[in-house]
Amino acid sequence: MKTLSVCQKCNSLNQVDSEKAKSKKPTCGKCQSELPMHSLVSEVDASALERILKKADRPVIVDFWASWCGPCKMYGPEFEKASTMTDKAIFLKINTETNQALSAKLGIRSIPTTIIFNQGSEIKRQPGALSASGVVSLI
Ligand SMILES: [Zn+2]
């Protein structure tokens, strides 16, 4: 399966082979910079999210987090683990501190919040931290 990530340096949208990304940190096909990925979770901003939603061939699951949020720190590794357990969705994370306009637009009131998008629209929203298997069963 292929997952998607956007290079933070040159802004290229990259297709990343999921199996290869599990063992080696993927690099941008255009500028060779390391892609902002943790396990199979790509760190994106509002515009990268929009581009990925347009290109995605399956649901996109997003962890909305913040650096000051304690439960987010516990949830991050679980979300990353979940990304290696299923390829039914593309996994992304968005920092709500640096993407405040998007967070306001989506009406995110508590973090962490997990949102699943399909064909560009929100289909499911779950506030609070989950276990890795909890994330997988959400999809
Ligand atoms: Zn690049």
Side-chain angles (χ1 to χ4, degrees):
M1 287 297 265
K2 301 267 190 209
T3 190
L4 299 168
S5 187
V6 172
C7 176
Q8 284 176 330
K9 198 168 181 193
C10 76
N11 228 14
S12 298
L13 183 64
N14 278 262
Q15 290 198 22
V16 177
D17 185 286
S18 302
E19 277 312 308
K20 281 185 201 155
K22 282 179 190 171
S23 53
K24 188 174 172 284
K25 212 156 192 227
T27 51
C28 174
K30 198 168 183 188
C31 75
Q32 316 305 328
S33 301
E34 221 172 65
L35 290 171
M37 292 185 71
H38 317 272
S39 234
L40 292 174
V41 180
S42 301
E43 189 139 17
V44 298
D45 60 14
S47 74
L49 171 68
E50 204 169 300
R51 290 169 67 197
I52 288 175
L53 287 179
K54 277 195 194 122
K55 184 94 178 175
D57 56 359
R58 57 197 191 281
V60 175
I61 184 165
V62 189
D63 166 19
F64 289 88
W65 67 286
S67 61
W68 50 263
C69 151
C72 296
K73 291 196 181 81
M74 283 153 46
Y75 183 38
E78 292 296 316
F79 193 75
E80 285 170 25
K81 192 174 162 199
S83 75
T84 66
M85 290 163 63
T86 179
D87 52 18
K88 277 195 242 156
I90 291 169
F91 283 73
L92 308 177
K93 67 190 293 178
I94 291 185
N95 186 335
T96 55
E97 292 163 285
T98 50
N99 294 280
Q100 290 182 0
L102 175 69
S103 308
K105 189 177 139 202
L106 291 170
I108 293 168
R109 282 183 215 94
S110 67
I111 44 171
T113 284
T114 306
I115 298 182
I116 301 178
F117 298 89
N118 197 21
Q119 295 175 338
S121 306
E122 176 176 340
I123 56 164
K124 209 181 267 184
R125 176 180 297 216
Q126 176 70 49
L130 300 163
S131 65
S133 56
V135 174
V136 171
S137 62
L138 203 61
I139 300 165

